[in-house]
Amino acid sequence: MLIAANFKTNKTRAQTREYYRAVSSYIAENNIASEAMIFPPATALDSFDGAISVGAQNAYAVENGAFTGEIGLEQLDEFGIKTILIGHSERRHILGESQELLVQKFDYFKEQGFTIVYCIGEPLEVREEGSEVLIGYLDDQLEGIDLDYKNLVIAYEPVWAIGTGLTPSADEVELIHTALRQKIECKILYGGSVKTANAEELLALENVDGALIGSGALKVDDYCTILSIADSLNK
Ligand code: PGA
């Protein structure tokens, strides 16, 4: 299983180093076999030497150039970063990234051989229209994405479940993951208010291959607890 922590706009460089160190020790001491991955803010990207993969929350589809406020491949290469999050709902809905831009990023980082965690998820008004409309909406977010890409991971994160403490029911999560599984072979993570209290129930579901976690993973202890829950499920 893959347990990914998305720090969003949290943690400094020093705090990220400390988190990495503490989680690495936990993994080594407890023989954790699940894959650990973290997405620190761009300012905390660095060279890390250990069992946890480190990815960028965002980058522009370019090696370098005149794109004020963005980072490109050159800045990721400096630290050997080969993992990126694309399509997170906060970038789609708050920062206004279009499907076209996301496909452009996807193609660029695919070309570079990156592991791409590609996020999809519906707003509440779409969910309220029923599963058929919901699945159609997710299909649109997969438009233009090479689902056969060997380093692809999909994260299904309902927008209304992100940072709200709300989650779909276990049956609802399973229904969507099973529908996605029909067209996607790669790992499918669930995201949206995953925390220590609900991790076991969500991770145990069929076709859930891990989690993408925001606030519930900010504390080292919580993240480590979820890693060991994933491990104990032995999927
Ligand atoms: P959350 O965020 O766990 O705080 O709901 C998940 C995410 O945005 O990836």
Side-chain angles (χ1 to χ4, degrees):
M1 272 212 248
L2 169 57
I3 306 297
N6 176 9
F7 291 0
K8 309 191 180 185
T9 319
N10 296 292
K11 297 199 188 291
T12 62
R13 174 175 295 271
Q15 288 164 345
T16 300
R17 278 222 152 268
E18 179 48 29
Y19 186 101
Y20 193 98
R21 192 204 54 75
V23 174
S24 296
S25 315
Y26 182 86
I27 289 174
E29 282 157 20
N30 296 279
N31 294 316
I32 298 290
S34 294
E35 198 183 338
M37 185 180 274
I38 62 169
F39 293 94
T43 51
L45 294 178
D46 212 336
S47 301
F48 292 95
D49 203 8
I52 310 168
S53 317
V54 177
Q57 292 175 21
N58 175 48
Y60 207 60
V62 74
E63 184 177 354
N64 53 31
F67 304 97
T68 301
E70 294 289 319
I71 58 170
L73 184 66
E74 187 174 84
Q75 288 73 35
L76 300 178
D77 274 352
E78 181 181 12
F79 303 120
I81 306 284
K82 293 294 274 178
T83 301
I84 187 165
L85 203 57
I86 295 179
H88 190 278
S89 83
E90 284 148 17
R91 296 213 61 90
R92 289 180 191 265
H93 299 289
I94 302 177
L95 294 147
E97 291 192 354
S98 64
Q99 187 64 18
E100 196 187 353
L101 181 82
L102 299 176
V103 168
Q104 211 179 315
K105 285 189 191 192
F106 181 92
D107 287 345
Y108 181 81
F109 288 101
K110 173 189 154 190
E111 190 77 11
Q112 307 299 327
F114 272 55
T115 294
I116 300 175
V117 179
Y118 183 78
C119 306
I120 56 175
E122 82 290 353
L124 192 55
E125 64 271 20
V126 172
R127 167 156 295 256
E128 281 166 351
E129 288 186 56
S131 4
E132 211 168 301
V133 174
L134 198 172
I135 290 165
Y137 184 91
L138 300 180
D139 280 342
D140 288 347
Q141 293 185 318
L142 294 170
E143 188 76 44
I145 301 300
D146 175 6
L147 299 178
D148 295 323
Y149 176 47
K150 68 177 189 326
N151 297 326
L152 173 66
V153 175
I154 294 287
Y156 168 58
E157 302 199 297
V159 178
W160 53 274
I162 295 178
T164 57
L166 303 170
T167 56
S169 69
D171 284 352
E172 287 166 337
V173 172
E174 206 163 66
L175 181 97
I176 302 303
H177 279 243
T178 302
L180 290 170
R181 173 62 69 221
Q182 271 146 40
K183 41 204 148 201
I184 300 169
E185 270 183 39
C186 70
K187 283 198 175 83
I188 307 174
L189 313 181
Y190 169 77
S193 295
V194 177
K195 48 185 185 263
T196 53
N198 62 14
E200 183 159 9
E201 186 188 14
L202 291 164
L203 291 171
L205 298 173
E206 208 176 327
N207 295 316
V208 173
D209 307 309
L212 178 57
I213 315 170
S215 49
L218 285 176
K219 290 196 188 116
V220 167
D221 287 356
D222 291 344
Y223 182 65
C224 290
T225 301
I226 296 173
L227 271 179
S228 62
I229 289 170
D231 246 40
S232 67
L233 289 167
N234 211 4
K235 279 170 92 183

